Short mmCIF file of all heavy atoms in Angstrom, two decimals:
data_model
loop_
_atom_site.label_atom_id
_atom_site.label_comp_id
_atom_site.label_asym_id
_atom_site.label_seq_id
_atom_site.Cartn_x
_atom_site.Cartn_y
_atom_site.Cartn_z
N SER A 30 15.12 38.49 -15.32
CA SER A 30 14.65 38.32 -13.93
C SER A 30 13.93 39.52 -13.42
O SER A 30 13.35 40.37 -14.19
CB SER A 30 15.79 37.86 -13.02
OG SER A 30 15.27 37.21 -11.86
N GLY A 31 13.74 39.63 -12.09
CA GLY A 31 12.88 40.57 -11.45
C GLY A 31 13.50 41.68 -10.58
O GLY A 31 14.63 42.10 -10.89
N HIS A 32 12.78 41.99 -9.53
CA HIS A 32 13.07 43.19 -8.77
C HIS A 32 14.36 43.04 -8.02
O HIS A 32 15.06 44.03 -7.76
CB HIS A 32 11.89 43.48 -7.73
CG HIS A 32 11.92 44.82 -7.21
ND1 HIS A 32 11.61 45.91 -7.96
CD2 HIS A 32 12.12 45.30 -5.97
CE1 HIS A 32 11.67 47.08 -7.22
NE2 HIS A 32 11.99 46.68 -6.03
N ILE A 33 14.75 41.84 -7.65
CA ILE A 33 15.97 41.57 -6.85
C ILE A 33 16.98 40.89 -7.73
O ILE A 33 18.15 41.42 -7.94
CB ILE A 33 15.68 40.73 -5.63
CG1 ILE A 33 14.62 41.35 -4.68
CG2 ILE A 33 16.95 40.52 -4.85
CD1 ILE A 33 14.99 42.81 -4.20
N ALA A 34 16.68 39.72 -8.29
CA ALA A 34 17.67 39.01 -8.99
C ALA A 34 18.06 39.72 -10.28
O ALA A 34 19.21 39.46 -10.77
CB ALA A 34 17.15 37.58 -9.30
N GLY A 35 17.24 40.56 -10.86
CA GLY A 35 17.60 41.36 -11.99
C GLY A 35 18.60 42.45 -11.73
O GLY A 35 19.40 42.78 -12.58
N VAL A 36 18.68 42.85 -10.42
CA VAL A 36 19.71 43.81 -9.99
C VAL A 36 20.94 43.06 -9.44
O VAL A 36 22.10 43.33 -9.88
CB VAL A 36 19.09 44.70 -8.86
CG1 VAL A 36 20.14 45.63 -8.28
CG2 VAL A 36 17.96 45.55 -9.44
N VAL A 37 20.72 42.13 -8.51
CA VAL A 37 21.81 41.44 -7.91
C VAL A 37 22.19 40.24 -8.75
O VAL A 37 21.82 39.13 -8.51
CB VAL A 37 21.50 41.00 -6.49
CG1 VAL A 37 22.62 40.34 -5.79
CG2 VAL A 37 20.95 42.25 -5.65
N ASN A 38 22.97 40.48 -9.78
CA ASN A 38 23.40 39.44 -10.71
C ASN A 38 24.86 39.63 -11.12
O ASN A 38 25.15 40.19 -12.12
CB ASN A 38 22.52 39.55 -12.05
CG ASN A 38 22.82 38.43 -13.00
OD1 ASN A 38 23.29 37.29 -12.62
ND2 ASN A 38 22.60 38.74 -14.31
N PRO A 39 25.73 39.12 -10.25
CA PRO A 39 27.15 39.40 -10.51
C PRO A 39 27.68 38.67 -11.77
O PRO A 39 27.07 37.59 -12.13
CB PRO A 39 27.88 38.79 -9.24
CG PRO A 39 26.83 37.83 -8.72
CD PRO A 39 25.45 38.46 -9.04
N PRO A 40 28.67 39.20 -12.44
CA PRO A 40 29.15 38.53 -13.65
C PRO A 40 29.61 37.10 -13.48
O PRO A 40 29.40 36.32 -14.31
CB PRO A 40 30.34 39.46 -14.04
CG PRO A 40 30.04 40.79 -13.43
CD PRO A 40 29.34 40.47 -12.11
N GLU A 41 30.15 36.76 -12.34
CA GLU A 41 30.61 35.46 -12.07
C GLU A 41 29.54 34.41 -12.04
O GLU A 41 29.79 33.22 -12.28
CB GLU A 41 31.37 35.39 -10.74
CG GLU A 41 32.69 36.16 -10.70
CD GLU A 41 32.48 37.68 -10.54
OE1 GLU A 41 31.32 38.07 -10.32
OE2 GLU A 41 33.39 38.49 -10.70
N SER A 42 28.33 34.83 -11.79
CA SER A 42 27.24 33.78 -11.72
C SER A 42 26.90 33.22 -13.10
O SER A 42 26.34 32.12 -13.19
CB SER A 42 26.00 34.48 -11.07
OG SER A 42 25.39 35.42 -12.02
N GLY A 43 27.11 34.04 -14.14
CA GLY A 43 26.75 33.59 -15.49
C GLY A 43 25.27 33.40 -15.72
O GLY A 43 24.83 32.75 -16.67
N LYS A 44 24.47 34.14 -14.93
CA LYS A 44 22.98 34.01 -15.03
C LYS A 44 22.34 35.09 -15.84
O LYS A 44 22.92 36.11 -16.04
CB LYS A 44 22.39 34.00 -13.65
CG LYS A 44 22.65 32.77 -12.73
CD LYS A 44 21.89 32.94 -11.49
CE LYS A 44 22.04 31.71 -10.64
NZ LYS A 44 21.37 31.77 -9.29
N TYR A 45 21.18 34.79 -16.35
CA TYR A 45 20.28 35.70 -16.98
C TYR A 45 20.94 36.33 -18.22
O TYR A 45 21.86 35.84 -18.85
CB TYR A 45 19.80 36.74 -15.96
CG TYR A 45 19.21 36.10 -14.74
CD1 TYR A 45 19.77 36.53 -13.47
CD2 TYR A 45 18.28 35.16 -14.82
CE1 TYR A 45 19.24 35.90 -12.35
CE2 TYR A 45 17.74 34.55 -13.65
CZ TYR A 45 18.21 34.97 -12.43
OH TYR A 45 17.72 34.43 -11.28
N GLN A 46 20.48 37.56 -18.53
CA GLN A 46 20.92 38.28 -19.70
C GLN A 46 20.36 39.73 -19.59
O GLN A 46 19.71 40.04 -18.63
CB GLN A 46 20.34 37.69 -21.06
CG GLN A 46 18.88 37.71 -21.16
CD GLN A 46 18.11 36.65 -20.40
OE1 GLN A 46 17.57 37.03 -19.33
NE2 GLN A 46 18.09 35.38 -20.75
N TYR A 47 20.76 40.55 -20.53
CA TYR A 47 20.21 41.88 -20.61
C TYR A 47 20.12 42.44 -22.00
O TYR A 47 20.77 41.76 -22.89
CB TYR A 47 21.15 42.88 -19.72
CG TYR A 47 22.50 43.14 -20.27
CD1 TYR A 47 22.77 44.17 -21.05
CD2 TYR A 47 23.53 42.25 -19.90
CE1 TYR A 47 24.05 44.37 -21.54
CE2 TYR A 47 24.84 42.47 -20.35
CZ TYR A 47 25.11 43.59 -21.19
OH TYR A 47 26.34 43.80 -21.64
N TRP A 48 19.29 43.40 -22.26
CA TRP A 48 19.05 43.89 -23.56
C TRP A 48 19.31 45.42 -23.65
O TRP A 48 19.03 46.14 -22.71
CB TRP A 48 17.58 43.73 -23.99
CG TRP A 48 17.20 42.24 -24.21
CD1 TRP A 48 17.18 41.56 -25.37
CD2 TRP A 48 16.80 41.34 -23.18
NE1 TRP A 48 16.78 40.24 -25.14
CE2 TRP A 48 16.56 40.09 -23.84
CE3 TRP A 48 16.61 41.38 -21.77
CZ2 TRP A 48 16.14 38.98 -23.14
CZ3 TRP A 48 16.14 40.31 -21.05
CH2 TRP A 48 15.93 39.11 -21.72
N LEU A 49 19.96 45.86 -24.71
CA LEU A 49 20.22 47.24 -25.00
C LEU A 49 19.75 47.51 -26.42
O LEU A 49 19.80 46.73 -27.29
CB LEU A 49 21.70 47.53 -24.86
CG LEU A 49 22.37 47.46 -23.52
CD1 LEU A 49 23.87 47.49 -23.56
CD2 LEU A 49 21.88 48.61 -22.65
N ASN A 50 19.38 48.84 -26.67
CA ASN A 50 18.86 49.23 -27.96
C ASN A 50 19.63 50.55 -28.24
O ASN A 50 19.37 51.56 -27.58
CB ASN A 50 17.39 49.44 -27.99
CG ASN A 50 16.90 49.67 -29.38
OD1 ASN A 50 17.56 50.37 -30.21
ND2 ASN A 50 15.69 49.29 -29.67
N PRO A 51 20.53 50.58 -29.23
CA PRO A 51 21.35 51.76 -29.50
C PRO A 51 20.60 52.94 -30.12
O PRO A 51 21.10 53.99 -30.22
CB PRO A 51 22.49 51.22 -30.39
CG PRO A 51 21.82 50.08 -31.14
CD PRO A 51 20.91 49.45 -30.12
N ASP A 52 19.31 52.53 -30.59
CA ASP A 52 18.57 53.63 -31.29
C ASP A 52 17.83 54.47 -30.21
O ASP A 52 18.18 54.49 -29.09
CB ASP A 52 17.61 52.96 -32.25
CG ASP A 52 18.28 52.11 -33.38
OD1 ASP A 52 19.39 52.58 -33.76
OD2 ASP A 52 17.80 51.08 -33.73
N SER A 53 16.81 55.12 -30.74
CA SER A 53 16.04 56.10 -29.86
C SER A 53 14.61 55.58 -29.90
O SER A 53 13.73 56.35 -30.40
CB SER A 53 16.16 57.49 -30.28
OG SER A 53 17.55 57.92 -30.26
N PRO A 54 14.27 54.47 -29.26
CA PRO A 54 12.91 54.04 -29.27
C PRO A 54 11.95 54.86 -28.54
O PRO A 54 12.36 55.50 -27.52
CB PRO A 54 13.03 52.62 -28.58
CG PRO A 54 14.24 52.68 -27.78
CD PRO A 54 15.18 53.59 -28.49
N ALA A 55 10.70 54.94 -28.96
CA ALA A 55 9.76 55.78 -28.28
C ALA A 55 8.90 55.12 -27.25
O ALA A 55 8.16 55.71 -26.55
CB ALA A 55 8.83 56.42 -29.38
N SER A 56 9.03 53.74 -27.17
CA SER A 56 8.23 53.00 -26.25
C SER A 56 9.02 51.73 -25.84
O SER A 56 10.03 51.43 -26.52
CB SER A 56 6.92 52.56 -26.81
OG SER A 56 7.11 51.64 -27.87
N LEU A 57 8.64 51.10 -24.82
CA LEU A 57 9.29 49.84 -24.44
C LEU A 57 9.15 48.85 -25.47
O LEU A 57 10.05 48.02 -25.70
CB LEU A 57 8.71 49.36 -23.07
CG LEU A 57 9.33 48.11 -22.51
CD1 LEU A 57 10.86 48.35 -22.30
CD2 LEU A 57 8.63 47.63 -21.23
N ASP A 58 8.02 48.77 -26.13
CA ASP A 58 7.83 47.74 -27.12
C ASP A 58 8.81 47.96 -28.33
O ASP A 58 9.37 46.93 -28.80
CB ASP A 58 6.34 47.84 -27.69
CG ASP A 58 5.29 47.29 -26.72
OD1 ASP A 58 5.73 46.53 -25.85
OD2 ASP A 58 4.13 47.70 -26.89
N GLU A 59 8.99 49.28 -28.68
CA GLU A 59 9.99 49.52 -29.73
C GLU A 59 11.38 49.14 -29.23
O GLU A 59 12.27 48.61 -29.95
CB GLU A 59 9.97 51.02 -30.12
CG GLU A 59 8.76 51.40 -30.92
CD GLU A 59 8.83 52.82 -31.45
OE1 GLU A 59 9.92 53.37 -31.44
OE2 GLU A 59 7.82 53.46 -31.78
N PHE A 60 11.64 49.43 -27.98
CA PHE A 60 12.96 49.12 -27.38
C PHE A 60 13.21 47.59 -27.49
O PHE A 60 14.24 47.15 -28.01
CB PHE A 60 13.05 49.44 -25.95
CG PHE A 60 14.29 49.03 -25.19
CD1 PHE A 60 15.41 49.89 -25.19
CD2 PHE A 60 14.33 47.85 -24.55
CE1 PHE A 60 16.59 49.41 -24.52
CE2 PHE A 60 15.48 47.45 -23.94
CZ PHE A 60 16.60 48.24 -23.90
#
């Protein structure tokens, strides 16, 4: 989601998702 819903997303809502990358990417595309 975006500027608001991407931040205000409580766990109980069950909405959306998020991404993590444990490596050390040099760009957002690599991430």
Side-chain angles (χ1 to χ4, degrees):
S30 198
H32 199 69
I33 303 300
V36 174
V37 184
N38 182 30
E41 292 77 10
S42 71
K44 289 184 177 180
Y45 310 124
Q46 66 283 100
Y47 65 94
W48 292 265
L49 293 168
N50 187 326
D52 299 325
S53 301
S56 67
L57 181 62
D58 288 341
E59 287 187 20
F60 173 91

